[in-house]
Amino acid sequence: MAYGDITATIVDDLLLASDNQPHACHVSGNVYALVSAGASPLMIRTYTVSPAGIFTDTPIDSLGIASPNHVNYPTITRIASGMYAILGSVGNTMGWRIITVGIDNAGNIDAAVTETQDGDAAYDNGDPSQNGLINVSGDVWAFAVYNL
């Protein structure tokens, strides 16, 4: 099989029973971060995935972020070495939230959130699954919030 060929069989899967709306990003080497919205809290977990596509069933580390309002459709993006931003919609039409947290190359997640910023509900009238972070240049980032 050549690189890039898609096989008809699943190599491995990882079932997270209480999580939904997952989003993953590469951390380093075989380490990946997964953020997901469950009932509560918002969960960040790190896993290894071998070059053959095999997941570790037990996370390297995890962090639950309690929130008075449910965060929907979280996305996780590496914004600097060891620093990741999570963007999500809060509640149904209550605005947006950006959370930053440290994750080292081995997959260890800092025990506390670095920063949390909430935004105005006027900018969250659309489909929160369309939100995203965009690197403008260097350490300057923009976030796009889908608005009808």
Side-chain angles (χ1 to χ4, degrees):
M1 176 172 45
Y3 287 109
D5 287 349
I6 299 173
T7 63
T9 58
I10 295 173
V11 175
D12 196 5
D13 64 355
L14 181 64
L15 177 62
L16 303 171
S18 63
D19 295 54
N20 58 35
Q21 305 164 349
H23 187 263
C25 76
H26 181 247
V27 174
S28 178
N30 294 342
V31 177
Y32 291 81
L34 176 75
V35 63
S36 59
S40 185
L42 181 73
M43 290 300 299
I44 306 168
R45 295 181 182 93
T46 53
Y47 293 92
T48 59
V49 181
S50 76
I54 307 298
F55 290 93
T56 53
D57 292 334
T58 304
I60 299 167
D61 202 358
S62 63
L63 176 66
I65 301 171
S67 174
N69 299 305
H70 187 73
V71 176
N72 295 311
Y73 299 99
T75 58
I76 185 167
T77 305
R78 180 180 175 178
I79 58 171
S81 180
M83 188 57 59
Y84 294 79
I86 299 163
L87 173 64
S89 175
V90 179
N92 292 328
T93 57
M94 298 174 65
W96 49 265
R97 177 169 291 149
I98 295 178
I99 301 164
T100 54
V101 65
I103 304 174
D104 69 18
N105 287 345
N108 300 304
I109 303 169
D110 288 352
V113 168
T114 306
E115 183 70 38
T116 299
Q117 178 67 49
D118 290 338
D120 191 334
Y123 298 103
D124 189 20
N125 296 324
D127 180 356
S129 68
Q130 303 299 315
N131 297 343
L133 290 167
I134 303 159
N135 184 242
V136 176
S137 176
D139 64 353
V140 177
W141 288 80
F143 64 92
V145 179
Y146 182 77
N147 193 357
L148 295 177

